[in-house]
Amino acid sequence: MLILWALLIYSHSLDAPFIFDDLSKIADNSEIRALSNFKSSYLNFDPQAKRLANQNDPSRPITYFTFTLNYLWGGLNPIGYHFFNLLLHILSSLLVFVLIRKIIFLKDQRDSFWIPFLVSILFISHPMQSNAVTYVFSRAELLAAFFYLCSLIFFLHYWKIILYSPHPEGMGSALKKSFYYIFSMLFFIAALFSKQNAVTLPVIILILVAIISECDWKKVIMRVRAIIPFFFVFFLYLLFRMVYLGGVGDLEAYDTLPRSIYILNQPFVILKYIEMNLFPKNLSIDHALLPRLSFFTPRIFLSWLTLVLLVTMGIFMIWKKQKKNMLHLFGCLWFIVTLSPTSSFFPTTSLLVENRVYLPNIGFFLALVLLIFSLFKVRLDEALFSRKNIKAALLFVSFIGILSLLSWKRNQKFKNPIELWQEVIAQYPHHYRAFSQLGLHYRREGNGEKAIKSYLKAIEMNPNYMESYYNLGNAYLEKKEYSAAALYYLKSLELDPEFLRAYYNLGIAYFQLKEYKKSLESFERVQKLDSQFPGIKEMIVYLKKSV
């Protein structure tokens, strides 16, 4: 049923076009077009070199490897990319079911069907998940979550042998333990090289062990040696990022906020995620929250106060060992811990991004389902669709039905990028990037005048955003106004002297203006930045003959 439900909600958006970062990281990225490019992308990586928009992210090799497979199988047809994302989403939802069911069994020795099923179907159905699934570039979230869940499930298999095997040191048990433990570690490493938010897994394992042991810290300390290797891998990964990649944070983030301002605003962002999960409205492909600069701004002060109260309640529950609420606590801790890499002290491009809650939402949905079960006095192992529990059942059916309809409609918008970006502008009228993206899709539909107006609006809002000048140059290039096109390409290159696509299109504009020497210089610059750029060698040979 989970598989059919996912297909019902997402299958109509499989032919949605590439949008936003899909264009630079997939459509214009020559590095994904051959497996041989991985050597230059990763083995010969130079942390001091400027990162270009249309290059692989060296911190996520597994993610870009899957983009390469997609390209080799189907070129730039978006259907294959969307199908791969949907497949990962379906598999992860099944893993969520297995994981929650196993956790409940290990903690309470009870076999629960409805709680893991409801968490899984919420995970599939919630419109907050759409940005991670239907926006192709968010595949890093999907892969990291998939490997993360696999790692936890294999670790719990290992832990089950320790707790319940009559002869845990026997030959058969020892082999099984080794098998589960090794694969748990391998999946953890795969998650790390899909997206860096997987660094939280050792902490989640520690919390899991504590919850299963009902916070008997003597038992936890006695068994902590099984978790230490995960922390060791975590520190090795951080060392690898610092030494080889040149930093711990987001390597490709630009225009980031100061660290102190980013941290100051994150409690509000976390509460905003919670609000959007409970009342999924005002969703957006690209949020543009304006940061507050003072702690005593009402929204910042109240957000910090609320978050501190929630954390205090959690600590109180642990201190009092309220065993019946331990799973509630686990769900809350999962949400906070897995969200922490992007909602803490590592600033990145945007304050709030919906796809960041893809993995954290597992904990949120678990806490929500358990809360409703508690309010309606439904036991963990009790049938939901019984006369006694009919109110709870109707609530879940209604909530999931509404969420599924909203998700279906949300995915429909991805098929019409103009509508998607108009939605962003309706929420954030000051958002220059949204106007630039809107112009891009107007141009793709052949509406050059509307495109130019959108680009000029974006430039008016932010004269330092080079993409707007580049896109405006493209609009004039299509209108065959080559002098205007060259002017705006040059302005974009003033802001980013290594903007490869601007050099290429500038070369075309100069060629049409019969300024062959300048055209050749532009194309040679492209070749220097990316020797694998399609057709560049042939163009240079032709121009040299012309010159």
Side-chain angles (χ1 to χ4, degrees), residues 407-445:
S407 285
W408 191 91
K409 290 183 175 180
R410 181 98 194 115
N411 291 321
Q412 184 71 19
K413 285 188 177 180
F414 279 85
K415 299 181 70 172
N416 185 351
I418 289 177
E419 184 181 348
L420 198 65
W421 288 107
Q422 286 174 335
E423 175 188 67
V424 177
I425 291 168
Q427 291 184 56
Y428 306 105
H430 62 280
H431 196 7
Y432 62 89
R433 192 164 59 221
F435 277 99
S436 188
Q437 289 291 322
L438 179 62
L440 178 68
H441 292 288
Y442 274 138
R443 184 172 63 82
R444 288 191 161 200
E445 289 201 352

Side-chain angles (χ1 to χ4, degrees), residues 216-277:
D216 186 334
W217 297 110
K218 289 183 179 178
K219 289 182 180 178
V220 174
I221 292 169
M222 285 174 60
R223 293 166 175 162
V224 77
R225 64 181 182 180
I227 309 170
I228 289 174
F230 285 89
F231 281 97
F232 181 69
V233 169
F234 163 73
F235 286 115
L236 282 179
Y237 175 72
L238 293 184
L239 184 64
F240 166 78
R241 287 187 66 92
M242 287 187 288
V243 173
Y244 187 70
L245 300 180
V248 175
D250 188 346
L251 295 178
E252 302 198 332
Y254 59 90
D255 294 336
T256 58
L257 291 167
R259 194 180 302 274
S260 58
I261 301 300
Y262 191 82
I263 297 169
L264 183 68
N265 284 268
Q266 282 310 305
F268 174 77
V269 170
I270 292 170
L271 294 179
K272 190 72 176 173
Y273 287 138
I274 293 172
E275 177 195 336
M276 293 165 78
N277 270 331

Side-chain angles (χ1 to χ4, degrees), residues 296-310:
F296 296 102
T297 306
R299 95 175 188 190
I300 299 299
F301 176 77
L302 292 174
S303 299
W304 275 93
L305 180 62
T306 304
L307 202 62
V308 168
L309 287 173
L310 291 173

Side-chain angles (χ1 to χ4, degrees), residues 6 17 39 74 101 166 182 203 217 225 227 230 296 316 345 506:
K39 182 179 179 181
R101 195 171 192 179
I182 290 169
V203 178
W217 297 110
R225 64 181 182 180
I227 309 170
F230 285 89
F296 296 102
F316 178 78
F345 43 83
L506 178 62

Side-chain angles (χ1 to χ4, degrees), residues 74 84 140 273 323 407 498 536:
F84 198 106
Y273 287 138
K323 296 179 182 179
S407 285
E498 296 188 3
I536 195 64

Side-chain angles (χ1 to χ4, degrees), residues 40-65:
S40 58
S41 298
Y42 299 105
L43 298 182
N44 301 329
F45 175 71
D46 179 6
Q48 303 302 320
K50 180 178 172 63
R51 299 299 301 152
L52 302 179
N54 59 327
Q55 287 183 319
N56 293 352
D57 182 342
S59 68
R60 303 176 185 180
I62 292 178
T63 300
Y64 284 86
F65 176 73

